[in-house]
């Protein structure tokens, strides 16, 4: 991973985001030139929040019910939107208490991480309610299993069109950052919908 981050940093000014929930890994990639730490655990490992505060890097705090090994065994919520928002509220207070500035923080509702297809759809339809402290919500649903579950066809769920459609849906309901595999298709879809938005009455 480190050679890749170093090489990218040497040839581009683009924002480099690295997925990790381990402080030692985060320290290494930040030194190598990464700009953002995307943490599925919401910066829970000891020292992670303090490290990111000192580095003044961006952080993506994701929601996940359970652990990666067990998260899909039997996910259960009373109100998934309310509970995910509550988690972000708790994380916001925690992160500010560890020295992070509000502008460093971004939220990820964790589509597919300890959630059924119905939970995911509820979150996708209420992204605006997850913008705790006005911080942006990142949507990462590209090629997720839930798309195939909704369509009843795993292969079609991985198709670019499926991701593009639900990326637009998420955008219309409050998502501000999109993490996708099929960049060109999703970018075109978002350009089209944004062109029409100013004319909505």
């Amino acid at each position: 991973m480190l050679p890749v981050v170093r090489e990218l940093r040497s040839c581009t000014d683009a924002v480099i985001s690295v997925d990790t929930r381990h402080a030692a890994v985060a320290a290494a990639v930040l030194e190598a030139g990464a700009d953002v730490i995307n943490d599925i655990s919401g910066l829970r490992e000891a020292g992670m929040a303090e490290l990111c505060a000192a580095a003044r890097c961006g952080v993506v705090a994701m929601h996940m019910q359970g652990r990666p090994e067990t998260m899909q065994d039997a996910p259960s919520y009373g109100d998934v939107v309310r509970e995910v928002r509550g988690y972000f509220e708790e994380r916001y207070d925690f992160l500010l208490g560890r020295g992070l500035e509000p502008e460093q923080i971004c939220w990820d509702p964790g589509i597919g991480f300890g959630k059924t297809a119905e939970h995911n759809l509820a979150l996708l339809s209420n992204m605006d309610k997850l913008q705790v402290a006005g911080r942006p919500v990142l949507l990462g649903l590209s090629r997720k299993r839930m798309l195939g579950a909704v369509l009843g066809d795993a292969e079609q769920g991985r198709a670019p069109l499926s991701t593009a459609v639900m990326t637009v849906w998420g955008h219309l309901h409050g998502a501000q950052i999109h993490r996708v595999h099929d960049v060109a298709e999703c970018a075109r879809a978002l350009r089209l919908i944004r062109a029409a938005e100013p004319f909505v009455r």
Side-chain angles (χ1 to χ4, degrees), residues 50-186:
E50 291 83 355
L51 169 71
C52 292
R56 289 293 182 260
C57 65
V59 300
V60 180
M62 195 189 84
H63 175 275
M64 173 177 59
Q65 188 177 83
R67 299 180 57 80
E69 303 83 4
T70 61
M71 63 185 183
Q72 289 303 110
D73 287 353
S76 176
Y77 300 86
D79 181 330
V80 67
V81 175
R82 180 180 58 78
E83 290 176 44
V84 171
R85 179 181 174 85
Y87 172 81
F88 290 154
E89 290 171 342
E90 180 275 325
R91 286 289 87 191
Y92 185 72
D93 290 342
F94 173 87
L95 295 174
L96 263 58
R98 298 304 187 278
L100 276 88
E101 299 294 334
E103 57 267 25
Q104 291 179 256
I105 303 168
C106 173
W107 309 119
D108 180 349
I111 301 298
F113 283 78
K115 298 167 184 78
T116 65
E118 290 75 15
H119 295 143
N120 292 323
L121 291 170
L123 291 167
L124 282 166
S125 301
N126 292 278
M127 292 279 155
D128 58 324
K129 295 181 176 65
L130 304 178
Q131 295 169 8
V132 169
R135 302 310 304 149
V137 174
L138 179 151
L139 176 57
L141 55 67
S142 183
R143 302 181 186 176
K144 287 290 177 75
R145 185 179 302 173
M146 60 88 58
L147 300 175
V150 171
L151 293 172
D153 185 325
E155 186 171 343
Q156 286 301 312
R158 291 190 292 270
L161 177 61
S162 301
T163 294
V165 167
M166 295 311 287
T167 295
V168 166
W169 181 261
H171 164 76
L172 290 172
H173 291 82
Q176 295 153 287
I177 304 170
H178 303 275
R179 176 176 173 168
V180 299
H181 296 85
D182 304 294
V183 176
E185 289 83 354
C186 290

Side-chain angles (χ1 to χ4, degrees), residues 7-20:
E7 182 63 23
L8 285 171
R9 185 76 294 152
S10 71
C11 66
T12 181
D13 292 328
V15 173
I16 299 173
S17 176
V18 174
D19 294 5
T20 183

